Amino acid sequence: MTRNGGKENDDESKKKIQIEKKSKDNDLKKLARLSEKKVMINYQTGPNGLSEEMASKRLAEYGLNEVATQRPTPWFILLIEAFKDPFVYVLALLMVVSALTNDFEASLVMGVMILLSVGIRFIQEYRSQKASLALKELIETTCGITRDGVTTEIPIDEVVPGDIVNLSTGDMIPADARFIWTKDLFVNQASLTGESMPVEKLVQVEEPTAEDTALDLANLAFMGTDVLSGQGRAIILKTGNDTFFGDIASNVSEKRGETSFDRGVKNVSKVLIRFMIIMVPIVFLLNGLTKGDWGQAFFFAIAVAVGLTPEMLPMIITSNLAKGAIKMSKKKVIVKELNAIQNLGAMDILCTDKTGTITEDHVVLVKHVSPIGDNCKKVLDLAFLNSNYQTGWKNLMDHAVINYYEENNLAQKIGHVEKIDEIPFDFSRRRLTVAVNNEGHQLMITKGAVEEMMKICSHVEINDEVIPLTDSLREKMLTVSVDMNQDGMRVLGVAYKKEVHDTAIYSIEDENEMILAGFMGFLDPAKKSSITAIKSLHEHGVTVKVLTGDNEIVSQKVCKDVGIEVGQVLLGNEIETMSDEALMEASEKVNLFAKLNPMQKARIIALLQKKGHTVGFMGDGINDAPALRKADVGISVDTAADITKEASSIILLEKSLTVLEDGVLEGRTVFGNMMKYIKMTVSSNFGNVFSVLVASAFLPFLPMLSIQLLVQNLIYDVAQLTIPWDRMDEEDLMKPAKWNTGNLMKFTLSIGPISSIFDILTFLLMYFVFHANTIGNQALFHSGWFVIGLITQTVVVHIIRTKKIPFIQSMASIPVTISTICVIVIAILIPDTALGGFFNFVALPTAYWKWMVLIVLAYGIAVQLVKTIYIKINKEWL
């Protein structure tokens, strides 16, 4: 009945979503049909945009331009989420059962455990969200909005319906909009449609058919998409949750895929709960049958169930991640998604773009030569006109040309220049054209990749003479270009054509029969810091691969300079013809991939992931966005394009691999501390249950009262709260941190039985040496096992946390050490105090303490020996 009801609710919800989607789709289609004038009237706007007063009113009316998933989660939702954990559910159920059966002390202790786990987890999540929001302010995404005739950059969340937005290459589209002007505008709509090919956007479109959706209409733009090339102006139609993207986000928001760590924790949780379901009834029946007191047996079984519940696990994980994010923020690393820290620690391959990450990101113009390699001033002048008067995304080479001109005071010699038109850069043509009026003449200037420029040139200019481009000249020119490449230079060709049109109408078709003026040589030297950072990443088990759109000769030189071994080089055109199987094999061996387009970068990353690698990608260009989305860890910088930052999970405030290396080590520390708690808890619980079963079989009374067992668990749990602040041994940070459930079970079966053996030795000690073998003396037995059990459980943390000999070769952090000392002191003092009396403990005889020290020492030595053997056989520990 419940299942059918649930299905009906799901179906109803899906129908509702479909109706809302259809309504929104029809609304946008109606707006797409209207003329530009009617749309402006409809939104009470004009070519000069809204007034600031009107914009403020609309912001108050429509709210911030945010979708549900972007808004901070309210504190009460975070609090509810903190309760959503299987172990908390188990504890809550046991607490209710205890309360209903009048075991109020046990119920109180369990309540404290729940409050500790949930409360600390909530505080950490709340602090993390606040820190994350504060950090995101540093990388706030903006867009160019025209208001009162003035275009300024404003935060995307302040955009309102009726605003006029100006778009160019690299911009994110801030909301759903209708184009009123475009120029060779191509948009990536993959985030909404899944279609990787860019879509051309136009002002006028044919009448949409009934089959067409709003996404099919070329004069509409949508929130969450981005401009790949070209320019445009548009009227904002819908913002926030009213957008197409907002509708998807609020109704069917996709959860981020689980990491291997998430899956591992979930599997461990399932194993422990199943173990509990099997073992608790056995403990209950065994004690009930042997002792005859079914009530006491029931309460004891509940206490055992609590003992098997690692209720602090979610809190420990959250604390680790939050601490890692805060620590990384101090090292100029913004963590947008907490889970990215785990992936950073597990990363074994880092794919990186070349420019700005392993190079200085300060390109300088070093050569401007004719087609045959002689110095040529005209090439420089033409390149300046192209770079200075283009309005799209100015790359590093554009800035290098402009800076060279300014530094040498050359701009004043150009004369009067008036821009006429522009054909923006795109990734298929790999060139950019600007048309200007210079001294009464129309001049079309094109700048771009040498290979692409060769295709559109029919003549060359040498020593002020224009001659046809012959095969021998072409060969000579290619030699000049290659020689510059081998010197580490990035080379661009510059061509021109005069008096192409009488009017200001230029298109891609005009890029032909041009005159090649020469080449520009740019140098972006390798960073010195990259050399040491890459060496360190290699030493820490991270393979560095370069994925670049640049040519292979320059890229090989840079790789050689920074210490990346390059044997085979794979080019984009070769990759295009390779099957996934062939590329998958090659991608593991090849360290340099050159002349790649954006989708090829993403494909290589996907295939490396398929091979079982955890892959990070570091880039800052528009063409890096697909790869950043695909990678396990997308890493960008705060100066990157809007879409690039949005696609990243980690943002560096300093463009440096050294900073990233710190992040990798912090990620491994976080991962290692989480694994310490998981391994200690699982192995300890496993051993304790068998100890209880043995004790229950031969003792005439319960091995410990339920309230005593609960108090022991509570003290131990509080002590474990310091684990996130522990340090990791240097050698444990030398390789990627990978989750392995099989190894966890192996670890548990190796360490767990040792605690059972020493528990049994404690039972024998109390039974035969101190004669705590009658119901009258059971309080003495309980006190003796409580003290040894709590101390051994706490001390073993120091042995398990390191491969080395604890206290001698490796010391835990101060918080962990202090918490251990506190637990030992509490364990020793509690039986002889009024509080101990409240929990039915009694003072222990003086002779007990030397036995206690002996058992604790013997237990520590035994665990250390087993650990040494385990490491020798399995070649791993944490």
Side-chain angles (χ1 to χ4, degrees), residues 666-681:
E666 186 58 36
R668 291 182 186 178
T669 301
V670 166
F671 191 99
N673 283 335
M674 287 191 286
M675 287 308 300
K676 286 175 191 176
Y677 178 79
I678 290 169
K679 288 194 170 184
M680 285 184 284
T681 300

Side-chain angles (χ1 to χ4, degrees), residues 487-631:
D487 287 336
M489 279 181 256
R490 170 76 187 270
V491 182
L492 293 183
V494 181
Y496 71 95
K497 195 158 55 166
K498 289 182 178 179
E499 315 297 351
V500 181
H501 294 294
D502 294 329
T503 55
I505 305 168
Y506 283 80
S507 66
I508 292 170
E509 286 69 33
D510 292 317
E511 292 178 336
N512 62 56
E513 302 293 319
M514 298 191 77
I515 302 163
L516 186 74
F519 303 114
M520 308 289 291
F522 302 87
L523 200 59
D524 183 12
K527 287 180 182 174
K528 289 182 181 176
S529 63
S530 293
I531 300 168
T532 53
I534 287 169
K535 184 182 177 186
S536 179
L537 285 168
H538 285 159
E539 287 170 352
H540 287 89
V542 180
T543 302
V544 182
K545 297 179 184 288
V546 174
L547 276 58
T548 179
D550 206 347
N551 74 60
E552 71 276 21
I553 301 171
V554 172
S555 302
Q556 274 182 294
K557 172 81 165 58
V558 172
C559 287
K560 183 182 175 185
D561 289 345
V562 297
I564 297 173
E565 191 177 321
V566 177
Q568 182 187 357
V569 180
L570 270 180
L571 305 181
N573 58 352
E574 296 171 330
I575 287 168
E576 207 60 42
T577 62
M578 294 174 76
S579 67
D580 279 355
E581 289 72 24
L583 183 56
M584 194 187 294
E585 289 304 315
S587 62
E588 286 198 298
K589 300 169 189 171
V590 175
N591 288 336
L592 174 59
F593 301 83
K595 288 191 178 178
L596 300 179
N597 65 39
M599 299 318 294
Q600 287 169 340
K601 291 183 181 183
R603 184 185 171 203
I604 291 164
I605 288 168
L607 293 173
L608 286 167
Q609 289 169 327
K610 208 170 178 182
K611 271 294 230 180
H613 297 285
T614 301
V615 185
F617 182 80
M618 184 173 176
D620 66 344
I622 308 152
N623 59 335
D624 294 324
L628 286 163
R629 285 195 188 101
K630 180 61 68 178

Side-chain angles (χ1 to χ4, degrees), residues 636-654:
S636 186
V637 290
D638 67 328
T639 54
D642 293 345
I643 182 59
T644 310
K645 289 186 285 187
E646 203 66 28
S648 306
S649 47
I650 287 178
I651 294 179
L652 310 182
L653 297 180
E654 184 179 295

